[in-house]
Structure formats: structure tokens, C-alpha cells
Amino acid sequence: MAFPVTRLRRLRRTEGLRRLVRETRLELSDLVYPLFVMHGQGVRREIPSMPGQRQYSVDTLVEEAREASALGIGAVLLFGLPARKDALGSEAYDDDGIVQRAVRALKSALPGLVVITDICLCEYTDHGHCGVLRDGEVDNDASLELLARAAVSHARAGADVMAPSDMMDGRVAAIRRALDENGLSHVPSMSYAAKYASAFYGPFREAAESAPQFGDRRGYQMDPANWREALREIEEDLREGADIVMVKPALAYLDVIARARARVDAPLAAYNVSGEYALVKAAAERGWVDGKRITLETLTAIKRAGADIIITYHAKEAAQWLREGE
Ligand code: PBG
């Protein structure tokens, strides 16, 4: 039955009606809060390109995580800044490394908080690439062993979920095998399965001090033009034992999220990355957009596209707004 019998505006007339027919609800339990941890004490160093985000030392990290947790955020994703970088990214798999220390502190202060750790070498290598080099190129298979060692070390420290972000082929299987062989078969992995070589990571590289010292990451991260390849990456990671798969970045890749959702039944995560955050903050600071509305609209759109889990620097403010809205 067409207009005038059908009037879709009828259900938009009041907030009560809109609420009743709303298809997508952003929830606190969807959110994962990424945090940067470094050595030292009492550190709360602002990240200029990511207003509101900071680098923390272990003590202040625990305070920040406690605040997030009090707001109802159930999970954090940790990135570490090592004391020293070297060619093999040694601190990534040092049991006394910064992430390992942070995990122990977080799990003892907030045992119920889900602590996810990023597994990658780029923050730890002096060349800034996500794997080890041979003849000036990232050597896939030589990197797998080190990534697997990092995962075992993080899991032994008590991390709840391993999140490999390096984009080496076979890393999910290598990490799964290493965890299983070390009595850690209960530890799940959330793979950055479809991770694109994106300009949206710019601010993160400042925050994590992880920009490649030469070249770029296009030899291992995905070409932004491809979506079928993303589905192959996702299916491959699931075959290798990934428990959760991720699409990253989120906003320019909502089509990839939607297609992944249609194809796989595993939990699907989306990473609302640093550059997406920076753009919103910069425009909101100038008063060009309404920061709160645009943030909630964005996060809702990521969920509507099909993500079950949203990793976002907006987590704390979104949690506050969601609570106020109730
Ligand atoms: C490490 C890693 C990156 C991000 C997450 N893990 C950067 C990169 O690949 O260059 C980006 C996160 C963000 O931009 O918020 N490989």
C-alpha cells in the first residue's frame, strides 16, 4: 500500500515511537578502549593529534582503566612503548616488557576487566616495521616466531585476548600453535584480519612512536581498493583459529564490515582508528560539527554495518553519553 496509506513519518513523530522501532542500539558492552603504556611513573603525556588521549605509565594506566571501568567499559586494548627499540623488537616478547608489566598491574587491580593486547613488532623495532627485516624487506616467516613469542609472553602475564595486528601471513596459526603448546589453549585471539594500509593511522603512529623509518606498510597491509581480498583474509584467519575477526579502519570501510557480517558468524570487531578520531575532534574543536552527535552517529553506524565490537578512542566519552541518555 503506497502513500497516502503508507506514511513512514508516523513512527518518527515522538522519541517514544522512535525508540520503540530503533533497529540498532549502541551499548556500553560493545566498546573497547585502546590505551598506550610506557615506562616511568606518574606519566600522563598528552597526544597532540588525539585530544583527550594520553600515554600512561603503569600506575596512571591503572587509574585510567579504573575510571573507564567505573563508567561501564568492559575491555581495553593495550599498546606498549618500549624503553629501547632494536632490530628484532625484543621488548615485545620480554616477560618484563612494558605491556607485560601493565597487564599484570591491570589484572591485579581490575580482575574483571578484559585486557586485550596488540601483538605487533612495529612499536618495538628500530626500523618501525611490523616484522623483522631481511635484505630490506619484511621477512614473513622469520617474523612469525617472534610474534608467537610475544603472544605467549602476554598471555603468561595474564592478558585475556591476543590481537595480532602485523598482517604477516600465517600469524594467527603460529600464535595459536604457540599458545596451545604452552598450556594457553584457553586464550582467544582477535585478529586484525582485514587491516588496510591506511592514512587514517597517522595520529596513532605519533602516539605509539611506530612510524616506519623507511618505505611504508603496503607490502603487508591491504590495498584500500579491495573488498574481496578482505573476505579471503577473514576466512583464512578463521581457518587458522581466530576467535574474533576485525576490519580496520572502520568508517571508510563500512562496506567491508557489512560484507564480512553477511559472510561470517564469528564475532566481528571494527577499529574506529586514530585518524577517524582526530578528524572528529579537530572539527568539533572548531565548532564545525557537534562532537557528541557526530560521535554517537558514527559509532551507531559502525554497529549498524555489522560490528559486534567497536574499538574506539571515544569509548569513555561515549560511555558517559550513553549513561546520560538512559
Ligand atoms: C600496529 C598498529 C597500528 C594500529 C593498531 N596497531 C598502526 C599501523 O599499523 O601502522 C593503528 C591504530 C590507530 O590508528 O588507531 N601495527
Side-chain angles (χ1 to χ4, degrees):
M1 217 80 80
F3 178 82
V5 175
T6 300
R7 289 179 182 270
L8 291 167
R9 284 185 55 194
R10 279 185 205 118
L11 294 177
R12 296 181 198 143
R13 200 170 51 82
T14 67
E15 177 49 24
L17 288 168
R18 290 190 293 271
R19 185 166 176 265
L20 193 65
V21 299
R22 191 156 291 142
E23 299 174 29
T24 305
R25 271 192 183 81
L26 185 64
E27 284 171 284
L28 271 166
S29 55
D30 304 329
L31 305 175
V32 176
Y33 183 30
L35 289 164
F36 301 95
V37 62
M38 61 186 286
H39 291 273
Q41 260 225 309
V43 181
R44 288 177 154 277
R45 194 194 289 165
E46 289 198 34
I47 303 162
S49 55
M50 300 172 72
Q53 305 303 306
R54 296 164 186 272
Q55 295 168 332
Y56 299 97
S57 47
V58 172
D59 54 331
T60 54
L61 178 84
V62 171
E63 286 170 26
E64 180 65 12
R66 201 187 295 283
E67 257 182 49
S69 168
L71 284 169
I73 293 167
V76 296
L77 170 60
L78 288 188
F79 296 95
L81 289 90
R84 263 183 311 108
K85 298 179 190 254
D86 60 32
L88 297 178
S90 313
E91 201 180 311
Y93 36 91
D94 178 346
D95 290 341
D96 204 27
I98 186 62
V99 165
Q100 289 83 345
R101 288 191 202 185
V103 168
R104 284 192 290 266
L106 284 174
K107 291 307 292 185
S108 93
L110 300 158
L113 182 71
V114 174
V115 177
I116 309 171
T117 56
D118 188 81
I119 305 290
C120 194
L121 298 183
C122 67
E123 297 108 280
Y124 304 92
T125 51
D126 49 15
H127 45 76
H129 278 288
C130 300
V132 291
L133 301 181
R134 184 190 292 178
D135 304 327
E137 281 204 52
V138 176
D139 184 338
N140 191 88
D141 296 9
S143 305
L144 297 182
E145 191 201 328
L146 302 183
L147 293 162
R149 278 172 67 182
V152 169
S153 176
H154 289 189
R156 278 198 182 128
D160 296 293
V161 182
M162 301 296 114
S165 70
D166 52 283
M167 288 301 276
M168 297 302 118
D169 288 325
R171 79 267 167 75
V172 173
I175 289 170
R176 184 71 273 150
R177 199 175 320 116
L179 290 171
D180 292 356
E181 283 170 6
N182 285 279
L184 296 160
S185 59
H186 57 285
V187 178
S189 68
M190 171 171 80
S191 77
Y192 290 66
K195 177 174 176 180
Y196 288 87
S198 171
F200 284 99
Y201 308 151
F204 173 93
R205 292 182 188 171
E206 180 189 323
E209 297 167 12
S210 68
Q213 297 305 300
F214 67 90
D216 54 43
R217 302 208 203 291
R218 283 184 281 193
Y220 39 104
Q221 298 180 346
M222 282 185 55
D223 184 338
N226 295 355
W227 65 264
R228 291 192 302 267
E229 187 187 352
L231 298 181
R232 293 185 69 196
E233 280 285 6
I234 288 167
E235 281 170 357
E236 176 62 18
D237 281 7
L238 288 171
R239 272 195 296 270
E240 289 183 28
D243 300 279
I244 302 171
V245 286
M246 189 202 299
V247 173
K248 176 187 174 189
L251 281 186
Y253 299 86
L254 292 179
D255 59 324
V256 179
I257 296 172
R259 283 166 157 145
R261 171 76 301 154
R263 184 78 72 94
V264 304
D265 292 325
L268 182 63
Y271 199 142
N272 176 220
V273 301
S274 59
E276 301 172 24
Y277 178 82
L279 296 187
V280 167
K281 287 291 169 191
E285 266 174 17
R286 283 162 182 74
W288 292 351
V289 296
D290 178 330
K292 172 179 171 179
R293 285 191 55 204
I294 217 165
T295 299
L296 292 173
E297 181 176 335
T298 295
L299 297 176
T300 301
I302 295 168
K303 182 146 187 206
R304 188 197 63 228
D308 303 300
I309 298 167
I310 304 172
I311 302 161
T312 180
Y313 303 98
H314 294 290
K316 264 178 87 187
E317 57 187 359
Q320 231 140 9
W321 293 327
L322 287 175
R323 293 166 75 98
E324 283 163 15
E326 264 155 25

